[in-house]
Amino acid sequence: MASGSIHVKVSGQLQDHIKQQVGDDGLYENASEYIRALIRRDLQTRDEAWEMLQKELAPAMRAEDSEFVAVRPKTSSAATGADKPDGGPSILFARRCRARQALARYGLEAGRGI
């Protein structure tokens, strides 16, 4: 991978924080080393969060549509005080569809890559 440079200006509180992290009193030799460590940590955190999400969604993605139960939220009618279904799609089915769309954005399919 080719090495490149990115220049970032920081001032005030951000600059003060970086100065605390580098040099004789800090854990890092220079600001670049500190920024690289932050980016690596960010990437690791993102990967861990993605893995946790995949594990959480895995059972739903493998489930057949017949395993889902239609649940409709109720809304109160101001005029009568009575509860009535909102007429919208099943909450669980809608969540499953959104989960499939989220997985598709990452090039994954339900039952694959999880």
Side-chain angles (χ1 to χ4, degrees):
M1 185 162 132
S3 179
S5 293
I6 297 175
H7 300 277
V8 179
K9 288 186 179 186
V10 294
S11 59
Q13 197 174 22
L14 294 176
Q15 186 177 23
D16 293 342
H17 180 75
I18 291 171
K19 286 179 181 179
Q20 290 175 354
Q21 302 302 314
V22 300
D24 294 336
D25 296 332
L27 296 174
Y28 302 93
E29 291 292 320
N30 55 54
S32 293
E33 184 180 307
Y34 176 56
I35 299 300
R36 284 191 296 271
L38 287 175
I39 293 169
R40 285 186 196 101
R41 190 175 340 146
D42 182 55
L43 290 170
Q44 181 179 356
T45 301
R46 183 196 64 185
D47 290 345
E48 290 169 358
W50 177 237
E51 288 173 13
M52 286 177 20
L53 176 62
Q54 287 178 315
K55 286 178 185 176
E56 186 72 26
L57 292 176
M61 295 296 98
R62 288 191 303 267
E64 297 295 325
D65 288 345
S66 61
E67 296 180 55
F68 287 86
V69 177
V71 177
R72 297 181 186 277
K74 294 186 175 189
T75 57
S76 295
S77 171
T80 64
D83 290 334
K84 62 178 183 174
D86 71 340
S90 158
I91 292 172
L92 293 176
F93 184 72
R95 285 184 180 157
R96 185 174 186 200
C97 290
R98 285 194 298 272
R100 285 180 190 238
Q101 291 168 350
L103 289 172
R105 282 195 297 271
Y106 289 94
L108 299 172
E109 295 178 30
R112 289 189 170 170
I114 297 180

